[in-house]
Amino acid sequence: MPDPTRPILSVSGLETRFHTRKGSVHAVNGVSFSLAPGELLGVVGESGSGKSVTMMSLLRLLPTPPADIMAGRVDFEGQDLLSLTEDDLRKLRGSKIGFVFQDPMTSLNPVFTVGHQIMEPLREHLKLDKRAAQKRAQELLELVGIPDAERRLRDYPHQFSGGMRQRVMIAIALACDPKVLIADEPTTALDVTIQAQILELMKDLRQRLGMAVIWITHDLGVIAGIADRVLVMYGGQVVEQAPVKDLFRTPKHPYTRALLSTVPRINGGRAHRLEVIAGQPPILKSAPVACSFRDRCPSATALCAGTNPPLTDHGKGHFVACLNAEMADV
Amino acid sequence: MSDLSPKPLVQVRDLKMHFPIFSGLLRRRSGAVKAVDGVSFDVFEGETLGLVGESGCGKSTCGRAVLRLYDITSGSIAIDGEDIAKSSQSDLRSKRSLMQMVFQDPMASLNPRMTVEAIIREPLDEHTRLSSAEKREKVLELMDAVGLNRAFSGRYPHAFSGGQRQRIGIARALALNPKFIVCDEPIAALDVSIQAQVVNLLEDLQDQFGLTFLFISHDLSMVRHIADRVAVMYLGRIVEIAPADQLYAAPRHPYTRALLSALPEPDPSLENTRERIILKGDVPSPANPPKGCNFCTRCPDVMAICRDQEPPEVDIAPGHRTACHLYSS
């Protein structure tokens, strides 16, 4: 494994806006984080918190317009991904950085065979000939645990079940041995038993291939099981960042605590009522000047409306963006 | 359940729902998808029965068949003492006020061209003889009950968020004061924090109106919270049914055990100590289920007898029934 202290991917000050007829929506507001080689970084938050938009922005996968990346740097192997030309970026996408999309039905092309779609990045990026690509595609399908791989290469996406399609997506993303894999809710559409299979597969692949993974989800249970470090996003900002055990043991941001308490437990006593986070996540029409969680926050004070709390270091890799984090800790 | 001898509001016996497959040039019937294949259960008055299973196991079909949204293949369904298994659709229409349904996708189950008021009023138009002023009053009461602002009665479904749309669907189901509501994955399309709001609402309404729920979901942790008893379905059959606490504390059927162990634990320190049972492969096709036990292709404890004979349902504890050869001798 390469030097583990030097991040393979680092993002700083990323800002993405969507320009619509009703004005612009500030979807990502100054997101910074880094990813170490071989690390699994979990990203959690409600829908609309900017998780997917952040990751799509890294590879400039969002259609422009309406999306517009206003500011920020994304360093990957000494290059700034945001200033690369479209051609150079194409060479990275799918080869050095893989992407697994949320919905395996809509992100596979229904009119091409699965084999064709796995071979596409191999032939495009690695310049393999047809026979070599076919052999590699078969290996990949076997790697992700699809039985009878040779025959299945000739099948179309609709002939696969949901779990199998998601494996195909993972196989495509892994085709060129990426350094970084970005997985956007890869198990959300799947059943728990299939999800458990995919999670095992990811753990196994990470050990064998040593790639770094960014795993986007809203399921905290999944994160607890596989992540090394977690980013919690809210209103297009990172509100808390911590190693997974610290985050679950001592969550410091009120939003993280609220998220954790809404999850019903599978053991121990049953709560009489489920905890809820009242209200809705905000739609930001302008850059945040105050804490965007303050309207739903149980420990909000007058100060919270005055400043947008910066992400501050609480020691041991634990960062929190909350003015009352210390107080609420007691 | 407060009474000592709760009486079943819904009794389902050996319910089968097979969908024919037609193929070939003449569209001859060549087989059947056995979506629900011999399911029996009771739902007691005032309780919530959770029905869980993976997608494709037939849980939604089962819920719809119980309300006779399909013409069932065979079996009997009694609701409040009346057998509705063979009732004609026009007879059923008069009984619809007793039994209602909340659908999975709140966007697809609300007419986008009707206002909220019209949507909630529709069952009243159909089944009651109230004056329009009375109907309007009732609609507004229902909106209060499910936590929707009265001022929004003239809006259309697209103007609402997912959680609010589900509330509209619930208000519509409540309009005729039903006794029995089938909730088909009412929270699957919602965000985690909104899921909790809707589940709390359903529980409040149950207390307030004395409702009986059949709660269909694939979310085992949410079912544990809301249900009094839980039935686990696999490939068209109920493999285990038990009081919720008992089922989660001591699952007996190998499928239930695997399903529960596959649940992610939201606590990393516990997560690593848990023993995972990872099932191999996918659910077989319900058009061509395996011989013997339906689960024999994926079962970690499979025995020779499982591939040959269908396991009978046996009671292993009071109210705890399972269909597995491990317990049948």
Side-chain angles (χ1 to χ4, degrees):
Chain A
M1 220 186 272
D3 179 11
T5 53
R6 221 182 121 204
I8 185 162
L9 181 78
S10 80
V11 178
S12 59
L14 187 71
E15 275 182 39
T16 306
R17 284 180 209 166
F18 289 94
H19 297 296
T20 65
R21 275 191 297 177
K22 290 180 183 169
S24 45
V25 175
H26 294 238
V28 181
N29 300 298
V31 166
S32 305
F33 65 91
S34 63
L35 182 70
E39 181 182 42
L40 198 148
L41 179 69
V43 182
V44 294
E46 286 171 276
S47 21
S49 59
K51 326 182 279 289
S52 300
V53 176
T54 303
M55 298 312 155
M56 306 264 271
S57 300
L58 299 186
L59 288 179
R60 307 214 313 252
L61 287 170
L62 296 164
T64 317
D68 193 359
I69 300 169
M70 306 298 288
R73 264 187 79 82
V74 179
D75 284 305
F76 175 76
E77 295 191 330
Q79 289 171 300
D80 181 8
L81 297 187
L82 298 182
S83 56
L84 284 183
T85 63
E86 195 61 31
D87 276 352
D88 287 338
L89 199 57
R90 256 185 94 92
K91 288 187 190 126
L92 278 180
R93 289 184 191 144
S95 64
K96 297 248 172 88
I97 302 180
F99 212 108
V100 180
F101 294 92
Q102 178 168 2
D103 182 350
M105 193 66 234
T106 52
S107 38
L108 288 170
N109 192 331
V111 302
F112 288 110
T113 62
V114 158
H116 178 95
Q117 295 183 62
I118 302 178
M119 274 144 57
E120 198 179 347
L122 293 169
R123 302 197 63 184
E124 181 71 30
H125 293 300
L126 303 184
K127 309 288 179 216
L128 295 182
D129 62 32
K130 199 166 180 191
R131 182 166 302 186
Q134 198 148 18
K135 190 155 167 285
R136 173 84 179 127
Q138 191 186 329
E139 281 170 17
L140 283 163
L141 278 195
E142 279 162 6
L143 181 77
V144 295
I146 293 183
D148 202 5
E150 193 181 355
R151 196 179 53 79
R152 294 295 259 169
L153 282 177
R154 293 194 294 273
D155 283 352
Y156 288 87
H158 74 268
Q159 290 166 296
F160 288 76
S161 66
M164 287 293 175
R165 266 180 236 144
Q166 196 57 276
R167 283 157 194 257
V168 171
M169 285 296 296
I170 294 175
I172 294 173
L174 294 175
C176 302
D177 283 335
K179 298 264 172 32
V180 176
L181 180 74
I182 301 175
D184 187 359
E185 310 237 9
T187 58
T188 304
L190 305 179
D191 281 310
V192 276
T193 57
I194 311 294
Q195 170 172 292
Q197 289 175 5
I198 301 268
L199 294 181
E200 283 298 307
L201 172 73
M202 277 321 286
K203 276 187 196 167
D204 181 46
L205 289 176
R206 210 152 61 87
Q207 271 167 7
R208 276 201 275 164
L209 308 176
M211 64 184 173
V213 182
I214 297 177
W215 190 285
I216 307 172
T217 180
H218 62 251
D219 189 335
L220 289 154
V222 171
I223 286 294
I226 59 166
D228 300 315
R229 214 151 50 87
V230 186
L231 295 184
V232 182
M233 288 195 64
Y234 188 80
Q237 288 172 298
V238 176
V239 294
E240 185 160 5
Q241 174 183 340
V244 65
K245 283 195 176 147
D246 289 349
L247 187 91
F248 282 85
R249 204 180 306 123
T250 54
K252 293 199 175 185
H253 197 282
Y255 178 63
T256 315
R257 278 202 293 269
L259 262 189
L260 285 170
S261 66
T262 57
V263 183
R265 307 302 300 252
I266 46 166
N267 47 34
R270 270 201 281 174
H272 180 56
R273 273 180 82 79
L274 292 172
E275 298 281 335
V276 298
I277 313 177
Q280 298 278 325
I283 293 167
L284 296 164
K285 294 281 183 194
S286 59
V289 289
C291 175
S292 46
F293 187 60
R294 67 182 191 284
D295 293 338
R296 306 168 78 188
C297 182
S299 46
T301 63
L303 278 176
C304 301
T307 46
N308 185 22
L311 206 57
T312 46
D313 194 347
H314 284 238
K316 292 190 209 146
H318 203 138
F319 294 84
V320 187
C322 178
L323 295 173
N324 305 319
E326 292 303 334
M327 265 164 42
D329 207 25
V330 188
Chain B
M1 280 178 285
S2 48
D3 334 13
L4 286 171
S5 55
K7 76 172 206 274
L9 181 71
V10 181
Q11 272 185 309
V12 177
R13 289 291 172 272
D14 205 27
L15 176 68
K16 286 185 182 169
M17 182 68 235
H18 296 181
F19 295 99
I21 304 169
F22 299 100
S23 64
L25 191 63
L26 297 171
R27 302 276 102 191
R28 284 219 176 89
R29 189 180 160 143
S30 61
V33 174
K34 295 173 181 167
V36 178
D37 199 22
V39 159
S40 306
F41 60 87
D42 293 334
V43 191
F44 298 102
E45 222 169 312
E47 81 161 349
T48 302
L49 177 70
L51 188 58
V52 299
E54 292 174 275
S55 41
C57 72
K59 53 189 191 306
S60 288
T61 307
C62 181
R64 289 163 160 261
V66 168
L67 292 187
R68 281 291 317 278
L69 298 184
Y70 298 121
D71 282 329
I72 61 172
T73 308
S74 67
S76 74
I77 304 163
I79 293 187
D80 213 10
E82 275 186 88
D83 193 342
I84 59 162
K86 292 180 185 68
S87 305
S88 66
Q89 287 299 334
S90 55
D91 286 348
L92 281 170
R93 208 177 173 81
S94 61
K95 298 192 182 97
R96 288 283 173 220
S97 56
L98 191 67
M99 50 198 191
Q100 286 287 323
M101 183 146 185
V102 176
F103 294 93
Q104 171 167 9
D105 184 344
M107 197 63 225
S109 54
L110 301 176
N111 188 334
R113 301 178 63 164
M114 286 165 81
T115 61
V116 171
E117 185 180 346
I119 289 170
I120 303 176
R121 201 185 55 221
E122 199 176 13
L124 299 172
D125 292 339
E126 195 66 39
H127 290 278
T128 67
R129 294 176 182 282
L130 301 173
S131 70
S132 24
E134 285 168 326
K135 281 181 201 162
R136 180 164 169 78
E137 190 45 44
K138 175 87 182 161
V139 168
L140 294 177
E141 275 171 28
L142 285 164
M143 289 184 71
D144 287 344
V146 298
L148 286 168
N149 193 329
R150 283 179 173 221
F152 297 160
S153 66
R155 292 197 184 179
Y156 290 87
H158 72 85
F160 293 87
S161 68
Q164 287 174 316
R165 278 181 211 145
Q166 202 52 282
R167 287 170 196 263
I168 301 171
I170 293 169
R172 175 176 61 184
L174 287 174
L176 297 168
N177 298 322
K179 284 188 173 171
F180 177 54
I181 298 183
V182 173
C183 305
D184 185 6
E185 304 251 17
I187 54 169
L190 307 176
D191 233 327
V192 214
S193 57
I194 314 293
Q195 285 186 353
Q197 292 175 6
V198 172
V199 164
N200 281 345
L201 172 69
L202 286 171
E203 287 186 310
D204 289 346
L205 294 171
Q206 183 167 38
D207 291 346
Q208 202 179 334
F209 300 107
L211 301 170
T212 304
F213 288 139
L214 177 64
F215 190 89
I216 301 169
S217 178
H218 66 266
D219 185 338
L220 288 138
S221 43
M222 208 48 104
V223 167
R224 175 174 188 258
H225 177 81
I226 195 171
D228 299 300
R229 291 188 307 132
V230 179
V232 183
M233 265 187 96
Y234 184 80
L235 213 61
R237 300 225 176 102
I238 290 182
V239 297
E240 186 163 7
I241 182 166
D245 293 326
Q246 212 170 320
L247 186 100
Y248 284 80
R252 305 298 288 269
H253 196 280
Y255 178 64
T256 316
R257 275 192 242 150
L259 202 59
L260 289 176
S261 84
L263 270 188
E265 164 67 56
D267 184 345
S269 44
L270 286 177
E271 173 68 30
N272 295 332
T273 61
R274 281 175 71 217
E275 202 184 328
R276 273 261 158 87
I277 306 167
I278 304 279
L279 290 179
K280 298 271 185 293
D282 276 330
V283 184
S285 158
N288 184 21
K291 187 169 184 259
C293 174
N294 274 347
F295 188 52
C296 71
T297 53
R298 298 170 85 197
C299 183
D301 304 319
V302 65
M303 300 177 290
I305 186 175
C306 304
R307 300 193 203 278
D308 192 47
Q309 283 174 33
E310 230 172 83
E313 292 192 341
V314 282
D315 287 300
I316 45 180
H320 194 153
R321 204 168 46 160
T322 184
C324 178
H325 284 301
L326 287 175
Y327 307 104
S328 59
S329 51

